[in-house]
Amino acid sequence: MTEIGTAGTLWGMESWGIDLSKQAFKFSAAHFLIFPDGSCERLHGHNYRVFVQVDAGITEHGLVIDFKRIKPIVKQLVDELDEHLLLPGEHPGLVTSERGDGVTEVRYGDRYYAAPTEDVLVLPINNTGPENLAGVLGRRLRDQLQQQFPQVRLNRVLLAVEETNGQRGRWEWVESPA
C-alpha cells in the first residue's frame, strides 16, 4: 500500500482522518481522584466511553486506515480496563502492595482498601482522571497503530475518555515535523 500523504492546494494543505465513536468502546471501572491539597474522592465508578481520531496520509486506495482493522484494536484496549479498580501507580502518596493470598492492599492517608489482585490495575499515571486515562489508552493505541500499520504515516492521534455525559478528558499526539 503506497501512501499518497498530505496534498497542497491553492488555498492550503489538505489532510485526511477517521473518527471512531462506537457503542462498544466503553468500560466500567472504579477509581478515586487525589486532589492537590491531599484530599481525595470516595471510591466510586463510571461507565466510561472512548472516542478516537486518527489523522494520516491517504493511501492510493483512498483510505487512511480500514475501520474494520482499527476497531478491534480500540476494543481490546478498552476491554483491558473494564471492571477493574484503577489506581495511579505514580502518585507519591499512594501505596499498593500485594499480599500472598491474592489480595492487593491500597493505602492513601487514612484510607485503606483491599481487593482481589486480579481486579486491580495499577497504571503508569499520577492520578486517575479521564485525561490521564486518555493518555494511557492513546499512547498504547498509537504504538499499536505504528506496529500494525507501518506503511501508514500517522500525523495525529487523539483519544478522549468520557466519564459522564459531556465531560471528557483527552490526549493528543502530533507527529513532529521532519
Side-chain angles (χ1 to χ4, degrees):
M1 179 163 45
T2 304
E3 180 187 336
I4 305 291
T6 305
T9 68
L10 251 121
W11 302 280
M13 297 298 288
E14 294 179 335
S15 65
W16 291 265
I18 58 173
D19 293 0
L20 297 104
S21 173
K22 303 298 286 181
Q23 184 63 31
F25 295 169
K26 62 182 173 39
F27 64 98
S28 298
H31 83 127
F32 58 89
L33 288 178
I34 301 171
F35 299 109
D37 67 1
S39 65
C40 67
E41 294 178 316
R42 294 172 63 113
L43 181 64
H44 65 283
H46 293 284
N47 294 315
Y48 295 95
R49 291 187 59 211
V50 172
F51 303 83
V52 173
Q53 294 179 349
V54 176
D55 294 346
I58 196 162
T59 68
E60 63 190 7
H61 304 289
L63 301 173
V64 171
I65 296 175
D66 184 352
F67 284 113
K68 284 179 161 181
R69 294 187 61 201
I70 191 172
K71 289 186 293 187
I73 298 169
V74 177
K75 178 72 172 125
Q76 177 187 348
L77 293 174
V78 299
D79 283 352
E80 291 172 5
L81 298 182
D82 195 33
E83 297 182 353
H84 283 91
L85 168 58
L86 306 178
L87 297 172
E90 294 179 0
H91 192 282
L94 185 95
V95 177
T96 62
S97 58
E98 288 186 41
R99 298 188 331 207
D101 60 354
V103 172
T104 294
E105 295 181 329
V106 182
R107 297 180 193 284
Y108 179 74
D110 61 354
R111 294 186 182 241
Y112 170 82
Y113 303 98
T117 299
E118 66 184 21
D119 293 350
V120 176
L121 283 178
V122 180
L123 300 171
I125 53 180
N126 64 358
N127 219 334
T128 55
E131 54 271 63
N132 274 327
L133 297 176
V136 167
L137 290 170
R139 285 181 202 98
R140 293 191 61 215
L141 175 62
R142 178 202 57 209
D143 294 348
Q144 288 287 325
L145 294 176
Q146 288 173 332
Q147 288 174 1
Q148 294 188 33
F149 305 101
Q151 72 281 9
V152 174
R153 185 176 183 283
L154 294 175
N155 297 323
R156 178 178 157 271
V157 177
L158 182 138
L159 192 139
V161 173
E162 183 176 78
E163 66 178 14
T164 60
N165 192 22
Q167 185 171 306
R168 298 178 188 169
R170 61 185 173 81
W171 168 91
E172 182 175 14
W173 171 83
V174 178
E175 173 68 20
S176 299

